[in-house]
């Protein structure tokens, strides 16, 4: 096969892989910044724990994606500054995100992350990059399940219309 027959880490990245890894890193950097702000707004301890875990996962993705980019001669996107801690009581009630809003937002973003990881996995010809995003996909699935369970337990989940009675076939 020539250039693509050895250790995947020695293979060149194609342009789609470069862009996807760069974009994943940039997105994770935005996630860290945004979720640090959400931590300042969140009151629920379980929600804060999930936010901490999402931040830790995003920081891991930044570290691994930036290393992959750097190793391949590509400059990663800049890191955003850390958000300062704020007390929930210091945020005016009208300006504060409610816990159920935060939970809904992180659920949507986690679901979008699953789709992005699947797309990247499908475009990869380097097995190591595909495996890296498969790992991220599995972690996002577990985090998404935790968010769903918390939202159900707290009564924050607003389900779409449910089909309780089915039409009778004649």
């Amino acid at each position: 096969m020539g250039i693509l027959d050895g250790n995947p880490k020695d293979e060149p990245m194609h342009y789609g892989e470069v862009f996807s890894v760069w974009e994943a890193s940039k997105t994770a950097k935005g996630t860290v910044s945004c979720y640090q702000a959400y931590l300042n707004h969140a009151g629920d301890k379980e929600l804060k724990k999930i936010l901490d875990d999402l931040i830790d996962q995003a920081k891991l993705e930044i570290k691994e994606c930036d290393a992959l980019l750097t190793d391949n001669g590509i400059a990663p996107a800049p890191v955003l500054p850390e958000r300062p801690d704020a007390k929930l009581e210091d945020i005016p009630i009208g300006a504060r995100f409610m816990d159920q809003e935060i939970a809904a937002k992180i659920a949507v973003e986690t679901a979008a992350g699953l789709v992005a990881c699947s797309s990247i996995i499908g475009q990869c010809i380097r097995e190591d990059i595909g495996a890296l995003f498969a790992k991220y996909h599995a972690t996002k699935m577990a985090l998404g399940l935790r968010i769903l369970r918390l939202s159900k337990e707290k009564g924050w989940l607003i389900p779409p219309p449910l089909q309780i009675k089915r039409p009778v076939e004649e």
Side-chain angles (χ1 to χ4, degrees):
M1 288 192 325
I3 197 167
L4 302 176
D5 65 354
N7 181 345
K9 293 181 181 185
D10 296 331
E11 295 174 2
M13 294 172 70
H14 66 69
Y15 289 114
E17 291 167 334
V18 170
F19 179 76
S20 293
V21 173
W22 190 90
E23 187 68 20
S25 170
K26 184 178 73 90
T27 300
K29 290 168 183 166
T31 296
V32 170
S33 178
C34 185
Y35 290 8
Q36 285 174 339
Y38 285 165
L39 271 174
N40 291 332
H41 290 251
D44 186 86
K45 288 180 179 159
E46 293 172 85
L47 179 59
K48 285 184 172 199
K49 175 64 176 130
I50 290 174
L51 284 166
D52 281 330
D53 292 345
L54 286 164
I55 290 168
D56 289 344
Q57 176 60 26
K59 286 180 177 179
L60 174 68
E61 291 176 19
I62 293 165
K63 178 183 170 199
E64 292 176 343
C65 288
D66 284 1
L68 184 57
L69 291 168
T70 303
D71 290 347
N72 284 276
I74 294 112
V79 177
L80 298 168
E82 291 281 320
R83 294 257 186 183
D85 288 335
K87 293 182 181 173
L88 181 63
E89 304 79 38
D90 293 340
I91 303 171
I93 292 175
R96 195 182 304 164
F97 286 109
M98 296 183 295
D99 289 345
Q100 57 266 40
E101 291 174 300
I102 296 169
K105 188 70 172 156
I106 64 175
V108 166
E109 290 173 358
T110 301
L114 288 169
V115 174
C117 286
S118 294
S119 178
I120 295 167
I121 293 164
Q123 77 174 198
C124 285
I125 60 173
R126 276 190 46 176
E127 294 95 344
D128 61 323
I129 297 173
L132 183 66
F133 282 89
K135 177 181 81 167
Y136 297 161
H137 190 279
T139 301
K140 289 177 190 308
M141 280 183 8
L143 287 164
L145 183 58
R146 286 177 54 202
I147 297 164
L148 176 62
R149 286 183 179 151
L150 178 68
S151 294
K152 284 180 173 181
E153 289 168 7
K154 301 289 182 175
W156 299 337
L157 182 68
I158 301 171
L162 303 173
Q163 184 181 17
I164 297 171
K165 284 189 172 183
R166 296 185 182 183
V168 179
E169 293 183 27
E170 295 178 31

